[in-house]
């Protein structure tokens, strides 16, 4: 029924009304849980819009297809679509912001965090400044997680923004746990907000932050103790066993995160002062 009505309403996508009609068409199927059923239709209309040099239709349909793929976690297909198409330069800022947001989400999922960070920043800048609050909230949440994955500290001011403050509360707590290297706090945040993170599509990325939390925790322990047992390290980091602690410490040493050595037989880690190669004797 929806498809028939769209065909009746839109002979081509070469109009504002036509492009908007496809948005509501896609949204209706999304709410009905049948979004996968219209993928072929959208691809066909995208080809038509491209042949007719319909920039607005191209932009709208590309965004709808990317949203469709992301909805089902089909990131490889989304990346393939991006590589085979060109987003029109003449697209309006709203469509450009959406495209950059989807691009940022795809790049983050593919571990390309620097590109994701740039895309998300551009998406937020292109979004309307006085409206589109929900969009800016979604983009900023993803931006915070990507920054943490990059090992950077998100700007405190974003957590104080009147339009973002309440929605970003879980992400502020997440940031505090990651920066403190506190695995207990990190696990607590995940337990309290796991359903929200899943609903917002950030849970997969947030799970990757566990490694960052542990790395920060190891650095903190190395700065605080000249010698500490593997049992105590495991306890402080809430790891399952001293063997897990030994593996993580060994990796941190190998990656240059800490200057230390492990005494396997006696079961402890010993930290070393960094050598200043410029110091004169």
């Amino acid at each position: 029924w929806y498809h028939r009505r769209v065909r009746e309403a839109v002979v081509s996508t070469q109009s504002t009304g036509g492009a908007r009609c496809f948005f509501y068409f896609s949204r209706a199927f999304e709410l009905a849980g049948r979004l996968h059923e219209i993928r072929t239709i959208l691809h066909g209309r995208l080809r038509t819009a491209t042949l007719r040099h319909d920039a607005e239709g191209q932009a709208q349909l590309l965004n709808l297809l990317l949203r469709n793929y992301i909805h089902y976690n089909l990131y490889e297909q989304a990346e393939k679509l991006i590589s085979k198409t060109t987003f029109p330069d003449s697209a309006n800022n709203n469509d450009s912001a959406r495209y950059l947001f989807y691009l940022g989400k795809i790049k983050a999922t593919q571990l390309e965090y620097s590109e994701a960070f740039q895309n998300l920043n551009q998406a937020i800048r292109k979004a309307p400044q006085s409206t589109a609050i929900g969009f800016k909230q979604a983009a900023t949440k993803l931006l915070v997680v990507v920054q943490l994955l990059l090992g950077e500290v998100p700007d405190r001011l974003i957590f104080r923004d009147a339009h973002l403050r309440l929605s970003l509360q879980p992400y502020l707590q997440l940031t505090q746990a990651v920066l403190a290297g506190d695995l207990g706090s990190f696990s607590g945040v995940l337990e309290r907000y796991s359903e929200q993170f899943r609903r917002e599509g950030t849970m997969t990325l947030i799970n990757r932050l566990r490694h960052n939390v542990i790395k920060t925790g190891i650095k903190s322990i190395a700065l605080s103790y000249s010698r500490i047992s593997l049992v105590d390290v495991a306890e402080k980091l809430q790891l399952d066993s001293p063997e897990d602690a030994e593996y993580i410490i060994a990796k941190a040493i190998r990656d240059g995160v800490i200057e230390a050595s492990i005494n396997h037989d006696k079961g402890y880690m010993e930290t070393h002062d960094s050598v200043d190669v410029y110091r004169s004797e």
Side-chain angles (χ1 to χ4, degrees):
W1 180 83
Y2 291 114
H3 187 204
R4 188 178 68 250
R5 290 302 299 271
V6 169
R7 282 187 180 278
E8 292 171 357
V10 190
V11 176
S12 80
T13 57
Q14 219 161 1
S15 69
T16 302
R20 188 175 297 124
C21 190
F22 274 105
F23 170 79
Y24 290 115
F25 171 61
S26 179
R27 184 62 178 152
F29 273 83
E30 182 176 350
L31 292 174
R34 298 166 53 198
L35 197 55
H36 62 284
E37 296 179 16
I38 64 168
R39 203 174 296 147
T40 302
I41 298 168
L42 295 178
H43 272 292
R45 289 296 182 173
L46 176 59
R47 283 192 295 271
T48 301
T50 304
L51 289 170
R52 292 177 175 172
H53 305 290
D54 173 10
E56 185 176 3
Q58 282 180 265
Q60 184 75 258
L61 287 159
L62 263 174
N63 281 334
L64 291 175
L65 278 164
L66 290 177
R67 182 182 181 90
N68 195 304
Y69 284 127
I70 290 170
H71 182 82
Y72 294 103
N73 296 318
L74 299 173
Y75 288 96
E76 286 187 17
Q77 288 91 325
E79 174 64 29
K80 190 178 292 185
L81 175 65
I82 289 168
S83 68
K84 291 183 175 181
T85 56
T86 302
F87 190 81
D89 293 332
S90 59
N92 62 55
N93 278 354
N94 288 354
D95 285 331
S96 296
R98 289 191 196 97
Y99 182 76
L100 287 163
F101 172 73
Y102 295 140
L103 196 56
K105 194 161 192 174
I106 292 163
K107 293 298 182 184
T109 303
Q110 296 176 328
L111 309 178
E112 298 176 37
Y113 301 130
S114 295
E115 284 190 53
F117 179 74
Q118 293 174 6
N119 294 146
L120 293 167
N121 258 325
Q122 289 177 316
I124 292 168
R125 284 199 295 269
K126 279 186 174 289
Q129 295 307 301
S130 57
T131 56
I133 303 303
F135 174 83
K136 283 187 282 191
Q137 288 175 348
T140 304
K141 289 170 184 176
L142 190 54
L143 182 70
V144 167
V145 178
V146 168
Q147 276 194 276
L148 292 173
L149 285 165
L150 282 167
E152 297 178 358
V153 181
D155 189 345
R156 274 185 173 272
L157 292 177
I158 65 173
F159 296 111
R160 296 174 181 169
D161 186 285
H163 297 300
L164 303 174
R165 188 171 59 244
L166 288 178
S167 68
L168 287 182
Q169 268 303 307
Y171 293 84
L172 173 59
Q173 294 176 37
L174 179 70
T175 299
Q176 291 167 337
V178 172
L179 296 181
D182 188 335
L183 199 57
S185 295
F186 177 75
S187 299
V189 172
L190 260 61
E191 187 176 340
R192 286 194 298 278
Y193 300 110
S194 60
E195 186 56 40
Q196 179 178 338
F197 292 151
R198 286 192 185 91
R199 190 170 62 249
E200 293 171 349
T202 55
M203 190 64 177
T204 299
L205 295 175
I206 289 171
N207 279 329
R208 295 179 189 172
L209 285 169
R210 188 174 187 274
H211 170 72
N212 298 58
V213 176
I214 291 172
K215 185 168 73 173
T216 303
I218 285 287
K219 288 172 69 175
S220 179
I221 290 170
L223 288 170
S224 302
Y225 298 89
S226 59
R227 180 182 292 184
I228 183 171
S229 72
L230 299 178
V231 172
D232 288 341
V233 172
E235 184 179 339
K236 287 180 179 297
L237 294 179
Q238 295 193 355
L239 302 172
D240 293 334
S241 67
E243 289 76 19
D244 287 347
E246 183 174 359
Y247 170 79
I248 288 168
I249 293 166
K251 189 176 187 307
I253 294 170
R254 189 168 61 250
D255 294 345
V257 176
I258 58 173
E259 294 282 342
S261 59
I262 299 171
N263 189 313
H264 176 76
D265 295 333
K266 295 184 178 179
Y268 65 78
M269 174 185 80
E270 188 169 22
T271 58
H272 310 301
D273 293 332
S274 298
V275 177
D276 186 352
V277 296
Y278 297 103
R279 185 181 62 187
S280 59
E281 296 295 335

